[in-house]
Amino acid sequence: MFFIYMEELFGIINNIRAGFFMEEYGEYKSISSSINYQYFEIKPTLKSIIIIFKSFTNFIITPFLKGKFTMFSLILLFEVLIIYFYLYLRIKNNPKIYFLTLFKWTAILLLSYLFYSLFIFNDGTILRYKVPIFFFVIFGYFANVKQLNSK
């Protein structure tokens, strides 16, 4: 199915991406932003794999680690570290780790991040989407583990 509607799918994705790109690097900041977007278009080529990978790493890595040393990026870094530390402690303190369930919810997290990374360019917007997805996955994982423990 994907290959049948590939051109339409890429057209829709690029239309949405162009809107978010113009929002972040729009004509108020740069008149050439509509021309520059052509370097960020996703097409069924190998170059698009690099663009998708860069978008994904931009989504995963906090702004502080990307060289943006502001108070906002420092707060984001601490927030992410606290969340990951809490998750590590919760998983480590479980008497039994269900690796298949952990793998399933980690895959859901990474695929959700990959999907959203295609559309988001702004660091604040990235955080706005990243944290709720992460909490959804944490809740889903522990609800799934609770269900498995009750059996």
Side-chain angles (χ1 to χ4, degrees):
M1 284 298 272
F2 174 77
F3 293 108
I4 295 172
Y5 297 107
M6 184 170 40
E7 291 298 322
E8 291 85 5
L9 183 64
F10 282 122
I12 292 169
I13 289 173
N14 283 320
N15 190 24
I16 296 170
R17 279 177 58 87
F20 282 119
F21 185 84
M22 294 299 173
E23 179 182 307
E24 179 64 16
Y25 305 106
E27 293 180 357
Y28 297 113
K29 294 182 181 179
S30 170
I31 295 174
S32 64
S33 65
S34 58
I35 298 169
N36 288 337
Y37 178 71
Q38 69 182 346
Y39 302 113
F40 292 94
E41 276 188 332
I42 297 177
K43 300 173 183 169
T45 62
L46 291 177
K47 182 183 173 193
S48 293
I49 294 173
I50 296 169
I51 293 171
I52 291 170
F53 180 75
K54 285 181 181 178
S55 295
F56 184 67
T57 55
N58 184 42
F59 197 88
I60 296 289
I61 297 173
T62 62
F64 192 80
L65 298 177
K66 292 185 271 187
K68 298 179 182 176
F69 302 113
T70 63
M71 186 57 80
F72 176 70
S73 63
L74 186 63
I75 291 169
L76 293 180
L77 176 68
F78 284 130
E79 181 179 16
V80 168
L81 289 176
I82 289 168
I83 291 170
Y84 282 121
F85 183 70
Y86 168 75
L87 181 63
Y88 170 75
L89 289 178
R90 284 289 308 260
I91 292 174
K92 185 179 179 211
N93 291 333
N94 273 344
K96 184 175 181 183
I97 297 176
Y98 297 95
F99 288 104
L100 184 62
T101 305
L102 182 63
F103 175 75
K104 176 179 71 172
W105 284 101
T106 304
I108 290 171
L109 177 71
L110 293 177
L111 287 173
S112 299
Y113 279 2
L114 179 65
F115 176 74
Y116 278 101
S117 72
L118 294 176
F119 301 108
I120 309 300
F121 293 95
N122 183 292
D123 289 327
T125 309
I126 287 173
L127 179 73
R128 190 176 331 141
Y129 289 111
K130 185 168 37 174
V131 172
I133 292 170
F134 193 71
F135 281 123
F136 167 74
V137 168
I138 289 173
F139 176 76
Y141 171 75
F142 287 115
N144 205 312
V145 167
K146 186 176 180 180
Q147 180 187 21
L148 291 172
N149 284 335
S150 68
K151 288 184 180 180

